[in-house]
Amino acid sequence: QRQRNEKNTTASYSYLDLRIVPFLIPAVCFVGLYSNLPHKEMRFIFPAIPMLNLAAALGMARLHNCAFPAGIKGGDEQKRSGDASVFLFLCGIGCVIVSLVGSSIFLVVSRWNYPGGHALKILQNYVEESKLIDSHNMISVHIDVASAMSGVSLFGQRAAGFTFSKSGYEKENDLGSSSSLQTHTHLLSEKDHVEGFRKVGVAQGYPRIDPRQLRFVTDDAINVLERIS
């Protein structure tokens, strides 16, 4: 009877728990469908992350139970099975560590993902240091497409207190010429040279890892330009 109970206990510790499958399949399908979209953002799959985390946690719990079953004593066959389970459990722990390291790296890199917001902050600091803070009503800033898409939000605009313009994106209302831009005192643009303006700052972006130097490198992304009086 004791041997039968030990055998049943050993068999009960399987690697897969089919109870999670009905809950996991919709989350996987949800991520798969959104992965086919041309425009992808991490926030699109946020609703599926809790269920994926639950499945991962349950899987690690099952691996732990298989690797360290309580109250089981057996022969060589059970020992070999236990060694394999310990190996799989350690692989799971390794995956968690790799995921943590990868997430930490992406967190560091993500601070360069919004050069438009950094450029706006550079402009604010420049205005304050140049004693133009009393002339806010006279400061007009034109934001190009690259700046608007990389962090120049309404919250940042309200905090700055300047007059902003995003017009000119359409071809029939193009503000790309220097003459049409002269109505603005400052520009946030991916172009580093615009006639009638001088560069007063630049925000870094486009982060990547240099495998030779083993460090993060960036390029000039959004330029802060001031009209030449």
Side-chain angles (χ1 to χ4, degrees):
Q1 179 70 24
R2 180 180 179 182
Q3 291 179 351
R4 189 183 303 113
N5 291 337
E6 290 178 356
K7 183 177 180 180
N8 293 336
T9 305
T10 304
S12 65
Y13 291 117
S14 60
Y15 294 127
L16 299 177
D17 189 343
L18 299 180
R19 295 176 301 175
I20 195 64
V21 173
F23 303 96
L24 185 60
I25 289 179
V28 174
C29 293
F30 182 85
V31 175
L33 290 174
Y34 270 95
S35 298
N36 291 324
L37 291 177
H39 176 70
K40 302 177 180 65
E41 292 187 29
M42 181 64 183
R43 60 188 177 90
F44 293 168
I45 64 172
F46 278 173
I49 291 180
M51 188 55 62
L52 296 176
N53 286 339
L54 177 61
L58 183 59
M60 285 299 300
R62 301 287 288 192
L63 288 176
H64 180 271
N65 291 337
C66 291
F68 309 104
I72 293 181
K73 299 179 182 179
D76 294 338
E77 183 178 353
Q78 290 184 352
K79 185 177 185 301
R80 288 193 298 269
S81 177
D83 292 341
S85 299
V86 171
F87 174 75
L88 291 176
F89 176 70
L90 293 178
C91 288
I93 294 295
C95 290
V96 173
I97 295 175
V98 171
S99 177
L100 176 62
V101 173
S103 299
S104 300
I105 293 175
F106 289 136
L107 177 63
V108 174
V109 174
S110 65
R111 62 177 176 167
W112 290 297
N113 284 343
Y114 301 96
H118 289 293
L120 179 57
K121 187 62 178 179
I122 291 173
L123 176 58
Q124 287 182 260
N125 294 336
Y126 173 78
V127 168
E128 293 177 1
E129 294 174 358
S130 302
K131 306 301 181 182
L132 299 176
I133 194 68
D134 295 332
S135 305
H136 271 182
N137 295 330
M138 300 176 57
I139 295 178
S140 175
V141 183
H142 182 264
I143 306 168
D144 70 352
V145 177
S147 303
M149 293 179 62
S150 59
V152 182
S153 63
L154 290 176
F155 298 102
Q157 296 177 39
R158 291 169 181 169
F162 306 146
T163 300
F164 291 91
S165 172
K166 297 181 181 180
S167 60
Y169 294 169
E170 305 83 4
K171 291 183 179 180
E172 61 270 17
N173 189 27
D174 186 16
L175 285 181
S177 61
S178 58
S179 59
S180 59
L181 292 174
Q182 291 297 326
T183 57
H184 303 282
T185 59
H186 296 84
L187 309 177
L188 298 182
S189 174
E190 60 181 341
K191 298 180 180 179
D192 60 353
H193 176 73
V194 176
E195 184 178 355
F197 290 82
R198 63 186 181 92
K199 183 191 296 187
V200 296
V202 60
Q204 297 295 307
Y206 313 119
R208 61 190 183 279
I209 299 177
D210 187 342
R212 295 183 179 180
Q213 302 182 14
L214 295 179
R215 66 184 184 90
F216 300 113
V217 294
T218 57
D219 295 327
D220 294 348
I222 302 298
N223 299 278
V224 181
L225 307 175
E226 184 179 46
R227 187 178 65 195
I228 301 175
S229 300

